[in-house]
Amino acid sequence: MYKLRMSIYKEILLLKRDMGGLVILFIMPLCLVITITLIQDSTFKTATDSKIPILLVDNDKGNVSEMVLKNLDSGSTFSVITQNNGKPIDEAFAKEKVFNGDYQLAIIIPQNLSSGLKAKVDSNVAKIMEGIDTTDSIATKQKEQETAPKEVRLYFDPASQTAFKTAVKSTVDKMISQIETKSIYNAFTEQLGEESIAAFQQESYISFKEIVPVFKNKAMVPNSTQHNVPAWTLFAMFFIVVPLSINIVKEKNQGTQIRLRTNPVSYTTVIAGKTVTYLIICMLQFFLMLGMGMYVFPQIGLPVLELNGTFLLMSVVALFSGLAAIGFGILLGTMAKTQEQSAPFGATSVVILAAIGGVWVPVFAMPKVMQYIAKASPMNWGLEAFYDVLLRHTTLVGILPLLAALLLFFIVMVAISIIYDEKKRAV
């Protein structure tokens, strides 16, 4: 036990000699999580709190185009522009402006859309009414009219993301469907001679409601902070691979490791000392990030990090995630011969593990092959454990498989390091 304490003391002295590097281990993750959360939160607010200006070319001049304009303008998403310098815009102008990036979207309503829709609906309703026995009591019948399908054209800025295009298409399609439904109701009303259905409600009979978890009678809706703090805390903890591996390489190149081995100290004790020291740093990083999310984020306009009684389990996940990061750093430092090998490889490998582990892009959005590869990333195990505890409110039993995987990863990394070191010295 005395040897372990001395080994830990040695690591602390080494870290104290590089206070700048030690400060970076804490300051850089904070800057990272603040920057990412600000970007994502401001992007979300931009998409929900402010309207996106779009162009609308009305070639129809009928009731359908009026309803489209009304629905678009009354919503919280778009601000519709139909004129330029007091004159109605045309399709050529809209196309040029959108393709130049001045606007995100232009909607082109074709000519005779209202009259064509009415004629088509009346024709279909007349066909249906012909099969009803009461058709004799109907004074007049609408003659069947053949109309060609109309096409509402959408122009998107070439830089627009696929998610935005999909959302717009879905919104326009739903709006057109509601207009068609109302036209059908009106056509049946005219055929049956009933009262006008001016009070017709466009709201769908079937609606959707999101059910979120409830904690102490309060709905818990995940926000950008709850997604980003665990993810980038994990990223920061794994970046400890770089200073840890550099530390081990320095000891080998400066002869410190040889002097240690001349004393009755095993390599396992040296590794244990590094593990304890850097695990303390990982946990300090974790607590600092939590404090940032809980107390600093609200002061700069970001959502507060609400733990809702998950602090203890979150700390357990952080402990095992830190062990996995340290195990990887020990293996890298043991195998690397120079700092030029350990530093770039360590930084690059952590970035790759984060990318395939779901820190940057959700795993479900990846191709099938990458989804399988993501399951092999220790960052994915730690991230899923954090999300299970914070967002899904899973118990300790539920995250045991993930914790076991992180612990096993640490054991395997350290075991390989010890075996490699012993074989290298035997040669």
Side-chain angles (χ1 to χ4, degrees):
M1 196 65 180
Y2 174 76
K3 295 178 182 178
L4 177 60
R5 289 203 305 270
M6 289 299 101
S7 179
I8 295 173
Y9 180 67
K10 173 188 69 80
E11 296 298 329
I12 294 175
L13 288 178
L14 289 174
L15 289 172
K16 286 175 64 177
R17 290 178 182 176
D18 186 14
M19 290 303 296
L22 189 60
V23 169
I24 289 175
L25 284 177
F26 294 101
I27 299 300
M28 290 306 294
L30 296 179
C31 295
L32 182 65
V33 72
I34 290 174
T35 303
I36 298 298
T37 308
L38 277 172
I39 291 173
Q40 292 192 355
D41 194 64
S42 60
T43 301
F44 175 78
K45 288 180 179 178
T46 299
T48 55
D49 295 346
S50 61
K51 293 186 176 183
I52 302 173
I54 64 172
L55 301 176
L56 177 69
V57 179
D58 184 8
N59 295 323
D60 176 46
K61 311 296 183 183
N63 60 331
V64 172
S65 61
E66 289 179 2
M67 293 176 65
V68 170
L69 177 60
K70 180 181 178 181
N71 289 338
L72 288 174
D73 223 10
S74 61
S76 60
T77 305
F78 302 116
S79 173
V80 182
I81 299 173
T82 59
Q83 294 184 343
N84 178 50
N85 295 327
K87 297 180 180 179
I89 59 178
D90 57 14
E91 185 171 353
F93 174 85
K95 179 179 178 181
E96 179 184 358
K97 289 296 182 180
V98 171
F99 285 174
N100 286 341
D102 296 330
Y103 294 91
Q104 292 290 309
L105 169 68
I107 301 177
I108 314 299
I109 299 179
Q111 292 180 349
N112 303 321
L113 178 61
S114 299
S115 58
L117 176 62
K118 186 178 186 306
K120 188 66 177 177
V121 170
D122 288 346
S123 174
N124 289 337
V125 170
K127 288 181 180 179
I128 295 174
M129 297 303 295
E130 287 176 359
I132 301 178
D133 294 335
T134 59
T135 52
D136 293 339
S137 62
I138 301 176
T140 59
K141 292 184 180 181
Q142 186 77 22
K143 292 184 178 181
E144 181 179 350
Q145 300 183 37
E146 295 295 332
T147 57
K150 299 296 181 181
E151 185 178 70
V152 176
R153 291 183 292 280
L154 304 177
Y155 289 98
F156 287 99
D157 178 5
S160 297
Q161 296 184 354
T162 304
F164 174 73
K165 295 180 180 180
T166 303
V168 169
K169 291 176 183 177
S170 176
T171 301
V172 174
D173 183 65
K174 179 181 178 180
M175 183 170 51
I176 296 298
S177 297
Q178 290 177 340
I179 294 173
E180 290 181 345
T181 302
K182 184 174 181 179
S183 299
I184 293 172
Y185 270 78
N186 286 327
F188 271 110
T189 300
E190 292 176 1
Q191 288 282 2
L192 296 174
E194 295 182 357
E195 295 180 356
S196 173
I197 54 171
F200 173 76
Q201 299 295 323
Q202 293 195 40
E203 289 80 4
S204 300
Y205 174 73
I206 301 175
S207 61
F208 299 90
K209 180 182 179 181
E210 179 184 2
I211 307 299
V212 298
V214 177
F215 181 78
K216 294 182 179 180
N217 297 323
K218 181 182 178 183
M220 296 179 298
V221 182
N223 52 45
S224 57
T225 298
Q226 288 176 302
H227 280 95
N228 281 300
V229 169
W232 296 104
T233 298
L234 190 66
F235 184 76
M237 291 170 66
F238 264 82
F239 239 95
I240 209 164
V241 165
V242 178
L244 175 55
S245 60
I246 290 177
N247 186 312
I248 296 174
V249 172
K250 276 184 179 180
E251 289 185 348
K252 291 190 296 185
N253 294 340
Q254 294 175 355
T256 305
Q257 197 174 85
I258 296 176
R259 292 196 297 271
L260 287 173
R261 296 302 294 266
T262 58
N263 296 318
V265 179
S266 65
Y267 189 58
T268 304
T269 303
V270 175
I271 288 179
K274 295 182 183 298
T275 300
V276 174
T277 304
Y278 281 89
L279 188 58
I280 292 173
I281 294 176
C282 286
M283 295 307 295
L284 289 176
Q285 285 179 321
F286 170 71
F287 295 136
L288 193 60
M289 297 283 257
L290 288 190
M292 178 70 67
M294 295 171 65
Y295 303 110
V296 179
F297 276 15
Q299 305 303 320
I300 58 178
L302 291 174
V304 64
L305 176 65
E306 297 181 357
L307 297 181
N308 298 321
T310 61
F311 174 76
L312 184 59
L313 274 182
M314 290 277 287
S315 300
V316 172
V317 175
L319 181 70
F320 280 83
S321 300
L323 284 174
I326 291 167
F328 182 51
I330 290 173
L331 177 63
L332 178 58
T334 303
M335 291 189 167
K337 295 180 180 180
T338 64
Q339 296 181 38
E340 289 74 16
Q341 291 179 358
S342 63
F345 182 83
T348 305
S349 60
V350 169
V351 171
I352 292 174
L353 288 174
I356 67 176
V359 173
W360 294 349
V361 179
V363 175
F364 68 83
M366 298 180 183
K368 283 294 182 182
V369 175
M370 292 304 300
Q371 290 184 22
Y372 290 115
I373 296 176
K375 300 300 181 183
S377 171
M379 274 203 193
N380 181 257
W381 309 335
L383 187 61
E384 285 299 314
F386 273 131
Y387 285 166
D388 282 347
V389 172
L390 184 62
L391 302 178
R392 303 185 183 105
H393 299 275
T394 307
T395 61
L396 177 62
V397 177
I399 62 173
L400 276 179
L402 296 170
L403 298 181
L406 291 168
L407 180 60
L408 182 61
F409 181 83
F410 167 74
I411 294 173
V412 170
M413 295 293 103
V414 172
I416 295 175
S417 301
I418 294 174
I419 293 172
Y420 179 84
D421 183 75
E422 294 297 331
K423 284 188 175 182
K424 185 177 179 181
R425 294 187 178 282
V427 173

